[in-house]
Amino acid sequence: MTIRHALAVVVLLAGCSPPAATPAKMGAPTIVSLNPCTDAILSEVAGPEQVLALSHYSRDPASSSMDPARARQYGVTGGTVEEVLALKPDMVIASAYMPPATRAGLEDLGIRVETFGIADTVKASDAQIRQISALAGNPAGGEMLIGKIAAALSDAALPESAATVPAVLWQPSGIVPGEGALVSELLRRAGFSSHSAAIGMGQADYLSLEQVIANPPRVLLVAGQERSQLHPALDALPAMQRATYDPGLLYCGGPTIIKAMERLKEVRAGIAGKSPEPRT
């Protein structure tokens, strides 16, 4: 059986049951989200009755960019055409990397699909929030979320008189972020300078334990569980402060920015009173 034949069967079966009354009939579209970044934004700007399902990633603490307990309050989907169709949404929002066949299958069945790339700046994140809140019919909710993010950024901002602190963000698989990543902008806003960039490293470059020991940063933010990232040799670097950083705060914008800035503010507070290295 071809995929189109299979989808035709699903359509026929779906048509056998009476259509359910949904908020869409009152002007508020029902939505399924297939990406953890859009999950986090949608859950903030849409009414709970509008959100038919979030991606299964958001229920897993290892991949979620929102509170997994909150994600479990919504329906869940693995993202197949059949699963989504059974929910009868007005719209699907997903990653720009959504498989073309899945998108085509949904659109062939009359379901609107909107995709979003990775927000690599706060400005890009704000634009995504505005677009998703407009799609959900709640532009005011989007502006409220943007205001909360702006307040978190301001609250964690480095005072003008303070020196920046050289830091490395050691991500899963032992890599570091590049200067064009959203998390790098958040680090700068919180008063950290990139030690990895200063030693010539770029996006997704691998940082070895030996490199850390030979040239330690003032702060090492550990967001992975690699053997090197937990090595006892790191305890022998008293001038370097280590702190954990939730991997769920690495990749998404939206409300994730608020939690990221709160964490970075905590880390800076932990080094208060210690003599920082000169401003870079």
Side-chain angles (χ1 to χ4, degrees), residues 102-279:
T102 301
R103 178 168 192 158
L106 292 170
E107 291 179 333
D108 284 350
L109 293 167
I111 297 175
R112 180 178 178 181
V113 178
E114 296 286 344
T115 58
F116 297 83
I118 296 172
D120 54 4
T121 64
V122 171
K123 183 178 180 180
S125 171
D126 287 351
Q128 287 189 353
I129 293 170
R130 288 192 171 100
Q131 187 175 353
I132 292 174
S133 61
L135 291 171
N138 184 23
E143 293 305 318
M144 185 177 298
L145 176 55
I146 289 171
K148 291 178 181 178
I149 292 169
L153 291 165
S154 177
D155 185 55
L158 179 70
E160 289 186 7
S161 60
T164 57
V165 177
V168 167
L169 178 55
W170 216 1
Q171 298 181 140
S173 300
I175 63 174
V176 297
E179 287 296 276
L182 173 60
V183 70
S184 297
E185 179 182 347
L186 302 185
L187 284 162
R188 288 193 297 272
R189 285 174 175 258
F192 296 96
S193 60
S194 175
H195 181 78
S196 54
I199 62 175
M201 302 186 74
Q203 177 65 32
D205 281 349
Y206 177 77
L207 178 67
S208 69
L209 175 64
E210 292 75 16
Q211 287 173 295
V212 175
I213 293 172
N215 191 355
R218 178 78 194 289
V219 173
L220 183 66
L221 292 166
V222 182
Q225 292 290 319
E226 308 301 313
R227 179 180 297 181
S228 60
Q229 294 171 326
L230 305 175
H231 200 282
L234 296 171
D235 296 331
L237 301 172
M240 182 184 76
Q241 177 178 332
R242 272 187 294 165
T244 59
Y245 192 83
D246 184 352
L249 303 179
L250 289 173
Y251 308 113
C252 296
T256 310
I257 294 174
I258 299 173
K259 293 181 179 179
M261 296 308 292
E262 289 172 348
R263 178 56 181 148
L264 293 174
K265 182 181 177 181
E266 287 175 354
V267 174
R268 276 198 62 86
I271 59 175
K274 298 181 181 179
S275 178
E277 294 184 17
R279 180 185 290 270

Side-chain angles (χ1 to χ4, degrees), residues 50 57 76 162 164 220:
Q50 290 180 262
Y57 299 107
V76 65
T164 57
L220 183 66

